[in-house]
Amino acid sequence: MERSLEKAAKYFGLTRPKLIALMREKGLLNDSNLPAFPLRDRDYLRVKDSNWYHDKAGMQYSQSTKVRQAGMPWLANQLGLELPAVPADNRDVA
């Protein structure tokens, strides 16, 4: 499972701009909000390439950062954030 920066921020109880600011401060993101060290951090962060066709401007290309599942605890550790508590599993209660 991967999360966008927006969903990762909500997971930590932050706004997307606040998460991006913290990640830039720690040197995890560059000025384009992409991983500053894509090879080093490849187990935690990924660049997603997208493209679409625009009637007037032609092909459009974009890149965004995705946080991998293993990246959530790693990000919390890097930024000094608290991981939300895991809800209790009550499925086995009769």
Side-chain angles (χ1 to χ4, degrees):
M1 182 175 143
E2 292 182 334
R3 289 180 169 90
S4 64
L5 290 179
E6 181 178 2
K7 287 183 180 175
K10 283 183 182 177
Y11 181 80
F12 291 118
L14 302 171
T15 62
R16 181 178 171 272
K18 178 66 176 168
L19 178 63
I20 289 171
L22 289 171
M23 290 177 76
R24 280 187 179 179
E25 195 176 291
K26 280 288 188 179
L28 301 177
L29 293 181
N30 63 22
D31 291 341
S32 300
N33 295 336
L34 297 174
F37 300 96
L39 285 177
R40 182 193 75 184
D41 299 337
R42 69 180 172 266
D43 293 339
Y44 313 111
L45 304 173
R46 178 178 84 84
V47 175
K48 179 182 178 199
D49 294 307
S50 301
N51 60 59
W52 66 94
Y53 184 78
H54 186 275
D55 288 339
K56 293 183 178 156
M59 272 316 273
Q60 302 293 302
Y61 300 91
S62 71
Q63 292 183 311
S64 59
T65 297
K66 297 292 182 185
V67 182
R68 297 180 189 271
Q69 185 63 34
M72 296 306 287
W74 174 81
L75 205 51
N77 187 36
Q78 293 290 314
L79 304 177
L81 300 172
E82 291 284 323
L83 282 172
V86 176
D89 185 355
N90 295 325
R91 289 180 290 184
D92 61 345
V93 177

Coordinates of all heavy atoms in Angstrom, one line a residue:
M1 N 0.8 -1.2 0.0 CA 0.0 0.0 0.0 C 0.9 1.2 0.0 O 1.9 1.3 0.7 CB -0.9 0.0 1.3 CG -1.8 1.1 1.3 SD -2.9 0.9 2.8 CE -3.0 2.6 3.3
E2 N 0.5 2.2 -0.8 CA 1.2 3.4 -0.9 C 0.3 4.6 -0.6 O -0.9 4.5 -0.8 CB 1.8 3.7 -2.3 CG 2.9 2.7 -2.7 CD 3.5 3.0 -4.0 OE1 2.8 3.6 -4.9 OE2 4.6 2.7 -4.2
R3 N 0.8 5.6 0.0 CA 0.0 6.8 0.3 C 0.6 8.0 -0.4 O 1.8 8.2 -0.5 CB 0.1 7.1 1.8 CG -0.7 6.1 2.7 CD -0.5 6.5 4.1 NE -1.4 5.8 5.0 CZ -1.2 4.6 5.6 NH1 0.0 4.0 5.3 NH2 -2.0 4.0 6.3
S4 N -0.3 8.9 -0.8 CA 0.2 10.2 -1.3 C 0.7 11.0 -0.1 O 0.4 10.7 1.0 CB -1.0 11.0 -2.0 OG -2.0 11.3 -1.0
L5 N 1.4 12.1 -0.4 CA 1.8 13.0 0.7 C 0.6 13.5 1.5 O 0.7 13.7 2.7 CB 2.7 14.1 0.2 CG 4.1 13.7 -0.3 CD1 4.8 14.9 -0.9 CD2 4.9 13.0 0.7
E6 N -0.5 13.8 0.8 CA -1.7 14.3 1.5 C -2.2 13.2 2.5 O -2.5 13.5 3.6 CB -2.7 14.6 0.5 CG -4.0 15.2 1.2 CD -5.1 15.6 0.1 OE1 -4.8 15.4 -1.1 OE2 -6.1 16.1 0.6
K7 N -2.3 12.0 2.0 CA -2.8 10.9 2.9 C -1.9 10.6 4.0 O -2.3 10.3 5.1 CB -3.1 9.7 2.1 CG -4.4 9.8 1.2 CD -4.7 8.6 0.5 CE -6.0 8.8 -0.4 NZ -6.3 7.7 -1.2
A8 N -0.6 10.6 3.8 CA 0.4 10.4 4.8 C 0.3 11.5 5.9 O 0.4 11.2 7.1 CB 1.8 10.4 4.2
A9 N 0.1 12.7 5.4 CA 0.0 13.9 6.4 C -1.2 13.7 7.3 O -1.2 13.8 8.5 CB -0.1 15.2 5.6
K10 N -2.4 13.3 6.7 CA -3.6 13.0 7.5 C -3.4 11.9 8.5 O -3.8 12.0 9.6 CB -4.8 12.7 6.5 CG -5.3 13.9 5.8 CD -6.5 13.5 5.0 CE -7.1 14.7 4.2 NZ -8.2 14.3 3.4
Y11 N -2.6 10.9 8.1 CA -2.3 9.8 8.9 C -1.6 10.2 10.2 O -1.8 9.8 11.3 CB -1.5 8.7 8.2 CG -1.1 7.5 9.0 CD1 -2.0 6.5 9.1 CD2 0.2 7.4 9.5 CE1 -1.6 5.3 9.8 CE2 0.5 6.3 10.2 CZ -0.4 5.2 10.4 OH 0.0 4.1 11.1
F12 N -0.7 11.2 10.0 CA 0.1 11.8 11.2 C -0.7 13.0 11.8 O -0.1 13.5 12.8 CB 1.4 12.2 10.7 CG 2.4 11.1 10.4 CD1 2.9 11.0 9.1 CD2 2.7 10.1 11.3 CE1 3.7 9.9 8.7 CE2 3.6 9.1 11.0 CZ 4.1 9.0 9.7
G13 N -1.8 13.3 11.3 CA -2.6 14.4 11.9 C -2.0 15.8 11.5 O -2.1 16.8 12.3
L14 N -1.4 15.9 10.3 CA -0.8 17.1 9.8 C -1.5 17.5 8.5 O -2.2 16.7 8.0 CB 0.7 16.9 9.5 CG 1.7 16.4 10.6 CD1 3.0 16.0 10.1 CD2 1.8 17.5 11.7
T15 N -1.1 18.7 8.1 CA -1.6 19.1 6.8 C -0.5 18.8 5.8 O 0.7 18.6 6.2 CB -1.8 20.7 6.7 OG1 -0.5 21.3 7.0 CG2 -2.8 21.1 7.7
R16 N -0.8 18.7 4.5 CA 0.2 18.3 3.5 C 1.3 19.3 3.5 O 2.5 18.9 3.4 CB -0.5 18.2 2.1 CG 0.4 17.8 1.0 CD -0.4 17.7 -0.3 NE 0.5 17.6 -1.5 CZ 1.0 18.6 -2.1 NH1 0.8 19.8 -1.8 NH2 1.9 18.4 -3.1
P17 N 1.0 20.7 3.5 CA 2.2 21.6 3.5 C 3.1 21.5 4.7 O 4.3 21.6 4.6 CB 1.5 23.0 3.5 CG 0.1 22.7 2.9 CD -0.3 21.3 3.3
K18 N 2.5 21.1 5.9 CA 3.3 21.0 7.1 C 4.2 19.8 6.9 O 5.4 19.8 7.3 CB 2.4 20.9 8.3 CG 3.1 20.7 9.6 CD 4.0 21.9 10.0 CE 4.6 21.6 11.3 NZ 5.7 22.7 11.6
L19 N 3.7 18.6 6.4 CA 4.5 17.4 6.2 C 5.6 17.7 5.2 O 6.8 17.4 5.4 CB 3.6 16.3 5.7 CG 4.4 15.0 5.4 CD1 5.0 14.4 6.7 CD2 3.5 13.9 4.8
I20 N 5.3 18.4 4.1 CA 6.3 18.7 3.1 C 7.4 19.6 3.7 O 8.6 19.4 3.5 CB 5.7 19.4 1.9 CG1 4.8 18.3 1.1 CG2 6.7 20.1 1.0 CD1 4.0 18.9 0.0
A21 N 7.0 20.6 4.5 CA 8.0 21.5 5.2 C 8.9 20.7 6.1 O 10.1 20.9 6.1 CB 7.3 22.6 6.0
L22 N 8.4 19.8 6.9 CA 9.2 18.9 7.8 C 10.1 18.0 7.0 O 11.3 17.9 7.3 CB 8.3 18.1 8.6 CG 7.5 18.8 9.7 CD1 6.5 17.8 10.4 CD2 8.5 19.3 10.8
M23 N 9.6 17.5 5.9 CA 10.5 16.6 5.0 C 11.6 17.4 4.3 O 12.7 16.9 4.2 CB 9.6 15.8 4.0 CG 8.7 14.8 4.7 SD 7.6 13.9 3.5 CE 8.8 12.8 2.7
R24 N 11.3 18.6 3.9 CA 12.3 19.4 3.3 C 13.4 19.8 4.3 O 14.6 19.8 4.0 CB 11.7 20.6 2.6 CG 11.1 20.4 1.3 CD 10.6 21.7 0.7 NE 10.0 21.6 -0.6 CZ 9.6 22.6 -1.3 NH1 9.6 23.8 -0.8 NH2 9.0 22.4 -2.5
E25 N 12.9 20.2 5.5 CA 13.8 20.6 6.6 C 14.8 19.5 6.9 O 16.0 19.7 7.2 CB 13.0 20.9 7.8 CG 13.7 21.6 8.9 CD 12.7 22.0 10.0 OE1 11.8 22.8 9.8 OE2 12.8 21.4 11.1
K26 N 14.4 18.2 6.8 CA 15.2 17.0 7.1 C 16.0 16.6 5.9 O 16.8 15.6 5.9 CB 14.4 15.9 7.6 CG 14.0 15.9 9.0 CD 15.2 15.7 9.9 CE 14.9 15.6 11.3 NZ 16.0 15.3 12.2
G27 N 15.8 17.3 4.7 CA 16.5 16.9 3.5 C 16.0 15.7 2.8 O 16.7 15.1 2.0
L28 N 14.7 15.3 3.1 CA 14.1 14.1 2.4 C 13.5 14.5 1.1 O 13.4 13.6 0.3 CB 13.1 13.5 3.4 CG 13.6 13.1 4.8 CD1 12.4 12.5 5.6 CD2 14.7 12.0 4.6
L29 N 13.1 15.7 0.9 CA 12.5 16.1 -0.4 C 13.3 17.3 -1.0 O 13.8 18.1 -0.2 CB 11.0 16.6 -0.1 CG 10.0 15.6 0.3 CD1 8.6 16.3 0.4 CD2 9.9 14.5 -0.7
N30 N 13.3 17.4 -2.3 CA 13.9 18.5 -3.0 C 12.9 19.6 -3.2 O 11.8 19.5 -2.8 CB 14.6 18.0 -4.3 CG 13.6 17.5 -5.3 OD1 12.4 17.7 -5.3 ND2 14.1 16.6 -6.2
D31 N 13.3 20.6 -4.0 CA 12.4 21.7 -4.2 C 11.2 21.4 -5.1 O 10.2 22.1 -5.1 CB 13.2 22.9 -5.0 CG 14.2 23.5 -4.1 OD1 14.1 23.4 -2.8 OD2 15.1 24.1 -4.6
S32 N 11.2 20.2 -5.7 CA 10.0 19.8 -6.5 C 9.2 18.8 -5.8 O 8.3 18.2 -6.3 CB 10.5 19.1 -7.8 OG 11.3 20.0 -8.6
N33 N 9.4 18.7 -4.5 CA 8.7 17.8 -3.6 C 8.9 16.3 -4.0 O 8.0 15.5 -3.8 CB 7.2 18.1 -3.5 CG 7.0 19.5 -2.8 OD1 7.8 19.9 -2.0 ND2 5.9 20.1 -3.1
L34 N 10.0 16.0 -4.6 CA 10.4 14.6 -4.9 C 11.5 14.2 -4.0 O 12.2 15.0 -3.4 CB 10.8 14.6 -6.4 CG 9.8 15.0 -7.4 CD1 10.4 15.0 -8.8 CD2 8.6 14.0 -7.4
P35 N 11.6 12.9 -3.8 CA 12.7 12.4 -2.9 C 14.0 13.0 -3.3 O 14.5 12.9 -4.4 CB 12.6 10.9 -3.1 CG 11.3 10.6 -3.5 CD 10.9 11.8 -4.4
A36 N 14.7 13.5 -2.3 CA 16.1 14.1 -2.5 C 17.1 13.0 -2.8 O 18.0 13.2 -3.5 CB 16.5 14.9 -1.3
F37 N 16.9 11.8 -2.2 CA 17.8 10.7 -2.4 C 17.0 9.5 -2.8 O 16.7 8.6 -2.0 CB 18.6 10.4 -1.1 CG 19.4 11.5 -0.7 CD1 18.9 12.4 0.3 CD2 20.7 11.8 -1.2 CE1 19.7 13.5 0.7 CE2 21.4 12.9 -0.8 CZ 20.9 13.7 0.1
P38 N 16.5 9.4 -4.1 CA 15.6 8.4 -4.5 C 16.2 6.9 -4.4 O 15.5 6.0 -4.1 CB 15.3 8.7 -6.0 CG 16.3 9.7 -6.4 CD 16.8 10.4 -5.2
L39 N 17.5 6.8 -4.6 CA 18.1 5.4 -4.4 C 18.2 5.1 -3.0 O 17.8 3.9 -2.6 CB 19.5 5.4 -5.1 CG 19.4 5.3 -6.6 CD1 20.8 5.3 -7.2 CD2 18.7 4.1 -7.1
R40 N 18.7 6.0 -2.2 CA 18.9 5.7 -0.7 C 17.6 5.4 -0.1 O 17.5 4.5 0.8 CB 19.6 6.9 0.0 CG 19.8 6.6 1.4 CD 20.2 7.9 2.2 NE 19.0 8.7 2.4 CZ 19.0 9.9 2.9 NH1 20.2 10.5 3.3 NH2 17.9 10.6 3.1
D41 N 16.5 6.1 -0.4 CA 15.2 6.0 0.3 C 14.2 5.2 -0.5 O 13.0 5.3 -0.2 CB 14.7 7.4 0.6 CG 15.6 8.2 1.4 OD1 16.4 7.6 2.2 OD2 15.5 9.5 1.4
R42 N 14.6 4.4 -1.5 CA 13.7 3.7 -2.4 C 12.8 2.7 -1.6 O 11.7 2.4 -2.1 CB 14.5 3.0 -3.5 CG 15.3 1.9 -3.1 CD 16.0 1.2 -4.3 NE 17.0 0.2 -3.8 CZ 18.3 0.5 -3.6 NH1 18.8 1.7 -3.8 NH2 19.1 -0.5 -3.2
D43 N 13.2 2.2 -0.5 CA 12.3 1.3 0.3 C 11.2 2.0 1.0 O 10.2 1.4 1.4 CB 13.1 0.6 1.3 CG 14.1 -0.4 0.7 OD1 13.9 -0.8 -0.5 OD2 15.1 -0.8 1.4
Y44 N 11.3 3.4 1.0 CA 10.3 4.2 1.8 C 9.5 5.2 0.9 O 8.4 5.4 1.2 CB 11.0 4.9 2.9 CG 12.0 4.1 3.7 CD1 13.4 4.3 3.6 CD2 11.5 3.0 4.5 CE1 14.2 3.4 4.3 CE2 12.4 2.2 5.2 CZ 13.7 2.4 5.1 OH 14.6 1.6 5.8
L45 N 10.2 5.7 0.0 CA 9.6 6.7 -0.9 C 9.7 6.3 -2.4 O 10.7 5.7 -2.7 CB 10.2 8.1 -0.7 CG 10.2 8.7 0.7 CD1 11.1 9.9 0.8 CD2 8.8 8.9 1.2
R46 N 8.7 6.7 -3.2 CA 8.8 6.4 -4.6 C 8.3 7.6 -5.4 O 7.4 8.3 -5.0 CB 7.8 5.2 -4.9 CG 7.7 4.8 -6.3 CD 6.9 3.5 -6.5 NE 5.5 3.9 -6.5 CZ 4.8 4.2 -7.7 NH1 5.5 4.3 -8.8 NH2 3.5 4.5 -7.6
V47 N 8.8 7.8 -6.6 CA 8.4 8.8 -7.5 C 7.4 8.1 -8.5 O 7.6 7.1 -9.1 CB 9.5 9.4 -8.4 CG1 9.0 10.4 -9.4 CG2 10.5 10.1 -7.4
K48 N 6.2 8.7 -8.5 CA 5.1 8.2 -9.4 C 5.1 9.2 -10.7 O 4.9 10.4 -10.5 CB 3.8 8.2 -8.8 CG 2.7 7.7 -9.7 CD 1.3 7.8 -9.1 CE 0.3 7.3 -10.1 NZ -1.0 7.8 -9.7
D49 N 5.3 8.6 -11.8 CA 5.2 9.3 -13.1 C 3.8 9.2 -13.6 O 3.2 8.2 -13.7 CB 6.2 8.8 -14.1 CG 7.6 9.0 -13.7 OD1 8.0 10.1 -13.4 OD2 8.4 8.0 -13.7
S50 N 3.3 10.4 -14.1 CA 1.9 10.4 -14.6 C 1.9 11.2 -15.9 O 2.8 12.1 -16.1 CB 0.9 11.1 -13.7 OG 0.8 10.4 -12.5
N51 N 1.0 10.9 -16.8 CA 0.9 11.8 -18.0 C -0.6 11.7 -18.5 O -1.3 10.8 -18.1 CB 1.8 11.3 -19.1 CG 1.6 9.9 -19.6 OD1 0.5 9.6 -20.0 ND2 2.6 9.1 -19.4
W52 N -1.0 12.8 -19.2 CA -2.3 12.9 -19.7 C -2.3 13.8 -20.9 O -1.3 14.6 -21.1 CB -3.3 13.4 -18.6 CG -3.0 14.8 -18.2 CD1 -3.6 15.9 -18.7 CD2 -2.1 15.2 -17.2 NE1 -3.1 17.0 -18.0 CE2 -2.2 16.6 -17.1 CE3 -1.2 14.6 -16.4 CZ2 -1.4 17.4 -16.2 CZ3 -0.4 15.3 -15.5 CH2 -0.6 16.7 -15.4
Y53 N -3.3 13.7 -21.7 CA -3.3 14.6 -22.9 C -4.3 15.7 -22.7 O -5.4 15.6 -22.2 CB -3.8 13.7 -24.1 CG -3.8 14.5 -25.4 CD1 -2.6 14.7 -26.1 CD2 -5.0 15.1 -25.9 CE1 -2.6 15.5 -27.2 CE2 -4.9 15.9 -27.1 CZ -3.7 16.1 -27.7 OH -3.7 16.8 -28.9
H54 N -3.8 16.9 -23.0 CA -4.6 18.2 -22.9 C -4.9 18.6 -24.3 O -4.0 18.7 -25.2 CB -3.8 19.2 -22.2 CG -4.6 20.5 -21.9 ND1 -4.7 21.5 -22.8 CD2 -5.3 20.8 -20.8 CE1 -5.4 22.4 -22.3 NE2 -5.8 22.1 -21.0
D55 N -6.1 19.0 -24.6 CA -6.5 19.4 -26.0 C -5.7 20.5 -26.6 O -5.3 20.4 -27.8 CB -8.0 19.8 -26.0 CG -8.9 18.6 -25.8 OD1 -8.5 17.5 -26.0 OD2 -10.1 18.8 -25.4
K56 N -5.3 21.5 -25.8 CA -4.6 22.6 -26.4 C -3.1 22.5 -26.1 O -2.3 22.9 -27.0 CB -5.1 23.9 -25.8 CG -6.5 24.2 -26.2 CD -7.0 25.6 -25.7 CE -8.4 25.8 -26.3 NZ -9.2 26.6 -25.5
A57 N -2.7 22.0 -25.0 CA -1.3 22.0 -24.6 C -0.6 20.7 -25.0 O 0.7 20.6 -24.9 CB -1.1 22.2 -23.1
G58 N -1.3 19.7 -25.4 CA -0.7 18.4 -25.8 C -0.4 17.5 -24.6 O -1.1 17.6 -23.6
M59 N 0.6 16.6 -24.7 CA 0.9 15.7 -23.6 C 1.4 16.5 -22.5 O 2.3 17.4 -22.6 CB 2.0 14.7 -24.1 CG 1.4 13.4 -24.7 SD 0.0 12.7 -24.0 CE 0.7 11.6 -22.7
Q60 N 0.9 16.1 -21.3 CA 1.4 16.7 -20.0 C 2.0 15.7 -19.2 O 1.5 14.5 -19.1 CB 0.2 17.4 -19.3 CG -0.5 18.4 -20.1 CD 0.4 19.7 -20.4 OE1 0.8 20.3 -19.4 NE2 0.6 20.0 -21.6
Y61 N 3.1 16.0 -18.5 CA 3.8 15.0 -17.6 C 3.9 15.6 -16.2 O 4.1 16.8 -16.1 CB 5.2 14.7 -18.2 CG 5.1 14.1 -19.6 CD1 5.2 15.0 -20.7 CD2 5.0 12.8 -19.8 CE1 5.1 14.5 -22.0 CE2 4.9 12.3 -21.1 CZ 5.0 13.1 -22.2 OH 4.9 12.6 -23.5
S62 N 3.8 14.7 -15.2 CA 4.0 15.2 -13.9 C 4.6 14.0 -13.1 O 4.5 12.9 -13.4 CB 2.7 15.6 -13.2 OG 1.8 14.5 -13.0
Q63 N 5.2 14.4 -11.9 CA 5.8 13.4 -11.0 C 5.3 13.8 -9.6 O 5.1 15.0 -9.3 CB 7.3 13.5 -11.0 CG 7.9 13.0 -12.3 CD 9.4 13.0 -12.3 OE1 10.0 14.0 -11.9 NE2 10.0 11.9 -12.6
S64 N 5.1 12.8 -8.8 CA 4.7 13.0 -7.4 C 5.3 12.0 -6.5 O 5.8 10.9 -7.0 CB 3.1 12.9 -7.3 OG 2.7 11.7 -7.7
T65 N 5.4 12.3 -5.3 CA 6.0 11.4 -4.3 C 5.0 10.5 -3.6 O 3.9 11.0 -3.2 CB 6.8 12.2 -3.2 OG1 7.8 12.9 -3.9 CG2 7.4 11.3 -2.2
K66 N 5.2 9.2 -3.5 CA 4.4 8.3 -2.8 C 5.2 7.7 -1.7 O 6.4 7.5 -1.8 CB 3.9 7.2 -3.7 CG 3.1 7.6 -4.9 CD 1.8 8.1 -4.5 CE 0.9 8.5 -5.7 NZ -0.3 9.2 -5.3
V67 N 4.5 7.5 -0.5 CA 5.1 7.0 0.7 C 4.7 5.5 0.7 O 3.5 5.2 0.7 CB 4.7 7.7 1.9 CG1 5.3 7.1 3.2 CG2 4.9 9.2 1.8
R68 N 5.7 4.6 0.7 CA 5.4 3.2 0.7 C 5.0 2.8 2.1 O 5.2 3.5 3.1 CB 6.7 2.4 0.3 CG 7.1 2.6 -1.1 CD 8.4 1.8 -1.4 NE 9.0 2.1 -2.7 CZ 8.7 1.5 -3.8 NH1 7.7 0.6 -3.9 NH2 9.3 1.9 -4.9
Q69 N 4.4 1.6 2.3 CA 4.0 1.1 3.6 C 5.1 1.2 4.6 O 5.0 1.6 5.7 CB 3.4 -0.3 3.5 CG 2.8 -0.8 4.8 CD 1.6 0.1 5.3 OE1 0.8 0.6 4.5 NE2 1.4 0.2 6.6
A70 N 6.3 0.7 4.2 CA 7.5 0.7 5.1 C 7.9 2.1 5.4 O 8.7 2.3 6.4 CB 8.6 -0.1 4.5
G71 N 7.5 3.0 4.6 CA 7.9 4.4 4.8 C 7.2 5.1 5.9 O 7.7 6.2 6.4
M72 N 6.1 4.6 6.4 CA 5.3 5.3 7.4 C 6.1 5.3 8.7 O 6.3 6.4 9.3 CB 3.9 4.7 7.5 CG 3.1 4.9 6.3 SD 3.0 6.7 5.7 CE 1.9 7.3 6.9
P73 N 6.5 4.1 9.3 CA 7.2 4.2 10.5 C 8.6 4.9 10.3 O 9.1 5.6 11.2 CB 7.4 2.7 10.9 CG 6.9 1.9 9.8 CD 6.1 2.8 8.9
W74 N 9.2 4.7 9.2 CA 10.5 5.3 8.8 C 10.3 6.9 8.9 O 11.2 7.6 9.5 CB 11.0 4.9 7.5 CG 12.2 5.5 7.0 CD1 13.5 5.2 7.3 CD2 12.3 6.6 6.0 NE1 14.4 6.1 6.6 CE2 13.6 6.9 5.8 CE3 11.3 7.3 5.3 CZ2 14.1 7.9 5.0 CZ3 11.8 8.3 4.4 CH2 13.1 8.6 4.3
L75 N 9.3 7.4 8.3 CA 9.0 8.8 8.2 C 8.8 9.3 9.6 O 9.3 10.4 10.0 CB 7.8 9.1 7.3 CG 7.7 10.4 6.7 CD1 8.9 10.8 5.9 CD2 6.5 10.4 5.7
A76 N 8.0 8.6 10.4 CA 7.7 9.0 11.8 C 9.1 9.1 12.6 O 9.3 10.1 13.3 CB 6.8 8.0 12.5
N77 N 9.9 8.2 12.4 CA 11.3 8.2 13.0 C 12.1 9.3 12.5 O 12.8 10.0 13.3 CB 12.0 6.8 12.8 CG 13.2 6.7 13.6 OD1 13.3 7.2 14.7 ND2 14.2 6.1 13.0
Q78 N 12.1 9.5 11.2 CA 12.9 10.6 10.6 C 12.5 12.0 11.1 O 13.3 12.9 11.4 CB 12.8 10.6 9.1 CG 13.5 9.4 8.4 CD 15.0 9.4 8.5 OE1 15.6 10.4 8.3 NE2 15.6 8.3 8.9
L79 N 11.2 12.2 11.2 CA 10.6 13.5 11.6 C 10.3 13.7 13.0 O 9.8 14.7 13.4 CB 9.4 13.8 10.7 CG 9.6 13.7 9.2 CD1 8.3 13.9 8.4 CD2 10.7 14.7 8.7
G80 N 10.4 12.6 13.8 CA 10.1 12.7 15.2 C 8.6 12.8 15.5 O 8.1 13.5 16.4
L81 N 7.8 12.1 14.6 CA 6.4 12.1 14.7 C 5.9 10.9 15.5 O 6.6 9.9 15.5 CB 5.7 12.2 13.3 CG 6.1 13.4 12.5 CD1 5.5 13.2 11.1 CD2 5.5 14.6 13.1
E82 N 4.7 11.0 16.0 CA 4.1 9.8 16.7 C 3.3 9.0 15.7 O 2.5 9.6 14.9 CB 3.1 10.3 17.8 CG 3.9 10.9 19.0 CD 4.5 9.9 19.9 OE1 4.0 8.8 20.1 OE2 5.6 10.2 20.4
L83 N 3.4 7.7 15.7 CA 2.5 6.9 14.9 C 1.2 6.8 15.6 O 1.2 6.6 16.8 CB 3.1 5.5 14.7 CG 4.2 5.4 13.7 CD1 4.8 4.0 13.7 CD2 3.7 5.6 12.3
P84 N 0.0 6.9 14.9 CA -1.2 6.8 15.6 C -1.4 5.4 16.2 O -0.8 4.4 15.7 CB -2.3 7.0 14.4 CG -1.5 7.6 13.4 CD -0.1 7.3 13.5
A85 N -2.1 5.3 17.3 CA -2.3 4.0 17.9 C -3.1 3.1 17.0 O -4.0 3.5 16.3 CB -3.1 4.2 19.2
V86 N -2.8 1.8 17.0 CA -3.5 0.8 16.2 C -4.7 0.4 17.0 O -4.6 0.1 18.2 CB -2.6 -0.4 16.0 CG1 -3.4 -1.5 15.2 CG2 -1.3 -0.1 15.2
P87 N -5.9 0.5 16.4 CA -7.1 0.2 17.1 C -7.1 -1.3 17.5 O -6.6 -2.1 16.8 CB -8.3 0.5 16.1 CG -7.6 0.8 14.8 CD -6.2 0.9 15.0
A88 N -7.7 -1.6 18.6 CA -7.8 -3.0 19.1 C -8.7 -3.8 18.2 O -9.6 -3.3 17.6 CB -8.4 -3.0 20.5
D89 N -8.2 -5.0 18.0 CA -8.9 -6.0 17.1 C -9.9 -6.8 18.0 O -9.5 -7.7 18.7 CB -7.9 -6.9 16.4 CG -8.6 -7.8 15.4 OD1 -9.8 -7.8 15.3 OD2 -7.9 -8.5 14.7
N90 N -11.2 -6.5 17.9 CA -12.2 -7.2 18.7 C -13.0 -8.2 17.9 O -14.0 -8.7 18.4 CB -13.2 -6.1 19.2 CG -12.5 -5.1 20.1 OD1 -11.6 -5.5 20.9 ND2 -13.0 -3.9 20.1
R91 N -12.4 -8.7 16.8 CA -13.2 -9.7 16.0 C -13.3 -11.0 16.6 O -14.2 -11.7 16.3 CB -12.5 -9.8 14.6 CG -12.6 -8.6 13.7 CD -11.9 -8.8 12.4 NE -10.5 -8.8 12.7 CZ -9.6 -8.9 11.7 NH1 -10.0 -9.0 10.5 NH2 -8.3 -8.9 12.0
D92 N -12.4 -11.4 17.5 CA -12.5 -12.7 18.1 C -13.3 -12.7 19.4 O -13.5 -13.7 20.0 CB -11.1 -13.2 18.4 CG -10.3 -12.3 19.4 OD1 -10.7 -11.2 19.6 OD2 -9.3 -12.8 19.9
V93 N -13.9 -11.6 19.8 CA -14.8 -11.5 21.0 C -16.1 -12.1 20.7 O -16.8 -11.8 19.7 CB -14.9 -10.1 21.5 CG1 -15.8 -10.0 22.6 CG2 -13.5 -9.5 21.8
A94 N -16.6 -13.0 21.5 CA -17.9 -13.7 21.3 C -19.0 -12.9 21.8 O -18.9 -12.2 22.7 CB -17.9 -15.1 21.9

